[in-house]
Amino acid sequence: MFYLYSIIYTVGIVLMIPIMFFRRKNYGSSVSQRFGNIQALETNEGPVVWVHCVSVGETNAARPLLERILKDYPQHRLVISNTTVTGHQLARKLFSDRAARIFYFPFDWRFSVRRALRRINPKIILVFETEIWFNFFREAHKSGARLCIVNGRLSEKSVEKYAWIQKTMKRVLHYVDLALMQDNKAANRLIRLGMLSSKVRVTGNMKFDQIVDESPSENTENMRRRFNIKDDTPLIIAASTHAPEEEIVLAAFKRIWKNSPDELPRLLIAPRHPERFDVVEKIIKKTGFDWVKRSDAESGRDKAAEVILLDSIGELRDFYPLADVVFVGGSLIPHGGQSILEPAFNEKAIVTGFHTANFAVIVEDFIRNEALIRLPEIAQADISVQLSGVIGNLLADDAMRNKLAANAYLAANKNRGALSKTLAHLKPYLDSAGAGNTNG
């Protein structure tokens, strides 16, 4: 099955070549590293902890754990790998001066995985949120590294898919030393796939333990000044949007804008994927709104623009303190939604679409605690009207908006604690790393 997997995986990579070519600006610099060509680490300068975070969400979730490892284990060297360009850029922004290496995760072929492992020589590998790579897991185990899944999540849909290769999954999961899962359902699903229950623990979702500054950052204040964002001028943020959500949001914003009796609101759109920045720019141009891009040089247009395109990486969290209402994208389409936690920790009123399966447990908890408004499942043609009504009502009703925001903050904070549980389970592995290989 491993051989067949490698063939299928290779076909998938070959089919991606045209995409990589057309997006070579993003992929070009990463290809060599994806073949395992990573600058080698010296073997006598302390044990290496390799943390793999697929994209921006996992990198943000891993941040508090990485900070603690750097603080509590200064003799360890931290390396961070990412799959996506955005995740890589964020990791470099946060840890470039403290991590020994930040690189792209190797393609899951034996030769590229082995090459990366030889050059990094990790004692511990922490894989965030159940990224299961057959060859990487096997070769990591063969290398003597301890392999741990951290902040793991596993949907029922994924279980049904993996169940077709149950025997192979059991073999792959045998290579994992420890799986720290977000909730009991995810833990039980992993056990059903063949993971030994003795290796599985439930620690909660580390995204609840993300670092949130108590006061606005310097960048927040710079953006407040640059775009003249005032307390009496409502700001709506459309966060992590996917196609065609920008068109829907802009149509809703036009309705809100026309029906606003007082100060006219403003809209900031933050597309989820940077390769769509140019596409979203063209969509905004067609609306007739005055608009600007974050990446443009500062000008007088910034202060009056009705729509702001956030075409930068890692700055969305700096804009959340300035918002009145946050719509979280990926939820008006069957993508499954993006994380609602950052706007919640910033005490903002949050609205999502119906499709929130990626964060089902969190969203259902927020709904029970009146900490979130989720739109019903309706025809796409009617969504902009529904969305404009919900956001318009929140902007018009300070009490309702403030209650929703306060409840979101409380719902997010009550679930903290996954970080301490995770560290407690990882401590034996981190402690023993400096003493040599403990693989049994």
Side-chain angles (χ1 to χ4, degrees):
M1 179 56 77
F2 274 73
Y3 181 70
L4 178 60
Y5 163 80
S6 295
I7 292 175
I8 295 171
Y9 181 83
T10 300
V11 171
I13 295 296
V14 169
L15 292 175
M16 282 188 64
I17 289 176
I19 297 174
M20 291 181 178
F21 176 79
F22 285 110
R23 296 178 184 171
R24 56 190 178 276
K25 181 179 177 182
N26 289 332
Y27 282 98
S29 62
S30 75
V31 171
S32 180
Q33 290 185 354
R34 295 181 195 269
F35 277 97
N37 295 313
I38 301 155
Q39 184 182 355
L41 286 172
E42 295 294 332
T43 58
N44 58 350
E45 294 183 0
V48 176
V49 180
W50 178 345
V51 181
H52 176 56
C53 308
V54 179
S55 190
V56 170
E58 291 81 9
T59 305
N60 272 324
R63 186 179 173 187
L65 178 62
L66 300 183
E67 296 283 0
R68 284 293 300 273
I69 291 173
L70 288 166
K71 177 184 176 183
D72 296 349
Y73 297 90
Q75 74 278 17
H76 291 25
R77 289 176 292 171
L78 184 68
V79 303
I80 304 169
S81 65
N82 306 97
T83 301
T84 69
V85 175
T86 52
H88 181 72
Q89 290 174 337
L90 180 60
R92 294 193 67 83
K93 178 181 178 181
L94 295 175
F95 296 102
S96 61
D97 58 339
R98 292 177 289 168
R101 295 285 184 274
I102 299 174
F103 54 92
Y104 286 95
F105 192 71
F107 289 128
D108 199 33
W109 292 308
R110 280 193 297 176
F111 75 90
S112 51
V113 166
R114 285 176 178 175
R115 183 180 295 156
L117 287 166
R118 281 198 308 268
R119 297 187 176 190
I120 297 300
N121 191 29
K123 292 292 184 181
I124 306 169
I125 300 173
L126 308 180
V127 178
F128 261 73
E129 299 202 7
T130 325
E131 279 280 303
I132 300 176
W133 298 105
F134 289 16
N135 288 318
F136 181 79
F137 279 25
R138 180 170 64 178
E139 296 304 320
H141 178 77
K142 286 182 178 180
S143 75
R146 307 305 295 269
L147 178 63
C148 304
I149 293 171
V150 178
N151 211 47
R153 64 186 178 101
L154 188 64
S155 68
E156 190 63 35
K157 184 177 180 180
S158 295
V159 172
E160 292 172 0
K161 178 180 66 175
Y162 287 132
W164 288 93
I165 50 171
Q166 180 81 37
K167 290 183 179 179
T168 302
M169 288 305 302
K170 185 175 181 179
R171 182 180 170 189
V172 172
L173 292 173
H174 167 74
Y175 301 134
V176 179
D177 293 283
L178 180 67
L180 305 178
M181 307 302 287
Q182 293 181 13
D183 53 59
N184 288 318
K185 288 183 179 180
N188 289 331
R189 287 167 185 153
L190 195 65
I191 293 169
R192 278 165 49 198
L193 282 180
M195 185 81 176
L196 291 176
S197 59
S198 60
K199 293 183 176 182
V200 181
R201 299 289 183 273
V202 176
T203 52
N205 191 338
M206 210 179 302
K207 288 184 177 180
F208 287 108
D209 292 285
Q210 62 186 269
I211 299 168
V212 180
D213 297 327
E214 293 184 1
S215 57
S217 69
E218 181 180 350
N219 195 40
T220 297
E221 294 307 320
N222 288 339
M223 294 304 103
R224 187 196 303 274
R225 175 196 56 78
R226 172 178 170 175
F227 295 104
N228 192 32
I229 298 172
K230 302 180 292 186
D231 291 339
D232 59 352
T233 303
L235 176 66
I236 303 163
I237 289 182
S240 301
T241 54
H242 297 241
E245 290 179 325
E246 294 86 10
E247 291 99 324
I248 297 171
V249 168
L250 284 162
F253 179 63
K254 185 168 287 188
R255 287 175 173 273
I256 296 167
W257 201 79
K258 287 180 178 179
N259 295 326
S260 294
D262 302 314
E263 195 72 26
L264 293 175
R266 304 172 77 187
L267 172 67
L268 182 141
I269 298 179
R272 174 65 175 172
H273 299 114
E275 60 267 22
R276 297 191 60 250
F277 288 161
D278 292 343
V279 174
V280 176
E281 179 182 344
K282 292 176 182 177
I283 293 169
I284 296 171
K285 282 182 179 179
K286 295 177 182 178
T287 63
F289 285 116
D290 291 332
W291 64 278
V292 291
K293 292 192 297 183
R294 163 68 179 97
S295 63
D296 284 343
E298 188 170 348
S299 71
R301 294 177 55 233
D302 296 337
K303 299 187 184 301
E306 293 146 354
V307 178
I308 302 166
L309 173 59
L310 184 59
D311 58 341
S312 60
I313 304 298
E315 287 193 312
L316 180 55
R317 64 188 298 146
D318 293 325
F319 277 91
Y320 279 136
L322 307 177
D324 292 270
V325 176
V326 176
F327 162 75
V328 178
S331 59
L332 297 178
I333 56 174
H335 170 76
Q338 302 297 151
S339 175
I340 62 174
L341 292 177
E342 277 200 357
F345 279 119
N346 280 281
E347 203 165 343
K348 301 302 173 183
I350 304 167
V351 179
T352 75
F354 176 79
H355 302 283
T356 55
N358 289 345
F359 300 91
V361 174
I362 297 173
V363 168
E364 293 302 329
D365 182 65
F366 270 54
I367 291 173
R368 282 194 300 271
N369 287 280
E370 298 181 358
L372 168 78
I373 295 178
R374 182 172 62 183
L375 302 182
E377 186 173 20
I378 55 177
Q380 193 169 86
D382 301 324
I383 294 176
S384 65
V385 176
Q386 183 85 12
L387 184 62
S388 67
V390 169
I391 295 179
N393 288 340
L394 285 172
L395 293 179
D397 191 332
D398 291 347
M400 179 171 64
R401 186 177 69 253
N402 292 336
K403 179 182 178 182
L404 195 68
N407 287 347
Y409 181 78
L410 291 172
N413 268 281
K414 75 175 184 179
N415 286 292
R416 284 183 178 271
L419 175 60
S420 60
K421 293 177 183 177
T422 299
L423 281 166
H425 287 296
L426 292 179
K427 189 175 188 299
Y429 298 90
L430 292 166
D431 286 348
S432 64
N437 180 27
T438 60
N439 227 359

